[in-house]
Amino acid sequence: MPQARLTADEVRSLAMEAPRRALDAASVLCQALEAEGGDVVGGRLVQVVAHLACMQLEAAEELLSALEVPVSTGTAEHKVDWLQCRAVLLRDRGRYDEALESAMMALAGLDRRGGDDAIRRARTLNLLGQVFSITGDHEGALHYYGAAFQHLSERGSPGARASVANNVGRVHRDLGDLSSAEHWFRRGLSLVGEETPTYLGAVMLGNLAQVYTEHGRAEDALELLQRALSMCRSLDSTRGIATMLHNLGVGHFTLAQYALARPLLEEAQRLRRGLGEAQDEAESRIHLALVDARLGKSEEALLSLRCLLAAWEGRPTSRVAISCLHSIYLLHREREEFREALEAHERYVAAKALHLDERGRSQLRALEVRYRLDQLQTDIRKVHARAQDLELLSQRDALTGVLNRGALDRAVRDAVEKAERSGSPLCVLFVDFDHFKRINDTHSHAVGDQVLRRGAQLLLGQIRDSDVLGRYGGEEFVCLLPGADLSAGVRVAERMRAQVACERWGTIAPGMSATCSLGVAELRQGEAPDHLLGRADRALMEAKVHRNRVAVAP
């Protein structure tokens, strides 16, 4: 039976829960988009996400390389998605500095685009938090995770919010704050449903089990791990099954139940080898050696650990090499082979020191990237603010500060369209300052400019924030009153007329007075904007016959 086609967003969500099913769904989506001539690049990027979720890094890298040129000439969304995928790939390859750079570029791309792409922004912030957490910058990690959770609070899927909650819990666990860690793991589980089989739910149950173990609740931890294992089996998630088998084996080891621990760790090692996850396989192998030592096979255990250490000799500061050296030291000490124990311990301390030094340098580089990111975001915000200021200025009349003619024409069209759509009334006032040429000729154009500036402020003082005032040209203004019928429009027009007539214009030029005339028209059903303005203008012409009057369009 053919698989049902999912959308790109649905495949992304599925990748967090069932990576292998997401890979199949991404393949179906790509085939459909190719057949339809749709967004093939977007489909391929979702396919990369699925490969990454399955830890198929070579396949993901090959596809990303193939997409680099199409993405460079594609949409801004494609560029951001490509950078996010690249950051995940680099993170999973342990190239954290480059991962931070890529994620930073993705966030900068979102800032340059503007708008409110909350999901992509949250995805990028979450990724930044992950890399900062790995490099040991817990403060930075919590900062970005918090920002990601905030962006997802209203629009993100429960799975996306649960993923961030899980990451926050892991940071608190690493900091030793077990109560906060448990709170966040439980919060994440409540979002996806504690009894609903999802890969993310299984991961959070496993993380919660670690908190229980550190709280001394090993039996409760084993129960959680059994539930997580059942979830992974129902989802047919090989990686999840391997992880939970390993954690169960470690749990039984903690309780000195070595006979129960061994088959679990052995199966975990076999599955991890099949997945090509060398570091995780080595982790299972180390614990298996420790179990064998407790079962009286310390010689075999030491041999296994030495062979593993030799295989990782090229990476002396890796987690595997350091764990091997520490385990070899412990076994020699238990066997009272103190010279060998001392040698292993010295190598362990030296490797640990190098590891901490590397981590310190990595943290410093991460802080530098974080500083640059903050600076870049500040610069982009300034550019956006300047652009908004320039856009606002381009819509304003330089003399009076009200809308200019171009912006006014657009406002009239928008107001008419909105009124037609909503069925609400709309009134238009056409305003003209009487004998304005006489004012210019008698008192100068500079005085005329002051009259227009003060007059515009007087008109603005009689309308609501939702109303619009613009300069139509010369001494003529147009006022839009959304939601106002003809009688309301006439009342506003009379207030404007009276306010202008009562103003103390002599403060600008001794002995000067000024009045205005207004034409009022209410929008008719189906009437065009130009026709509405024409009726208001004709009413204005009628009012100007007498001056200082308000006339209503028939």
Side-chain angles (χ1 to χ4, degrees), residues 12-30:
R12 284 182 180 275
S13 297
L14 186 61
M16 291 190 291
E17 302 170 2
R20 290 193 177 276
R21 282 169 50 201
L23 193 57
D24 293 338
S27 179
V28 170
L29 175 63
C30 285

Side-chain angles (χ1 to χ4, degrees), residues 321-323 325-326 329 343-353:
I322 291 171
S323 185
L325 286 168
H326 189 249
Y329 154 70
E343 179 188 347
H345 191 264
E346 287 175 346
R347 291 180 63 189
Y348 163 73
V349 170
K352 189 76 172 176

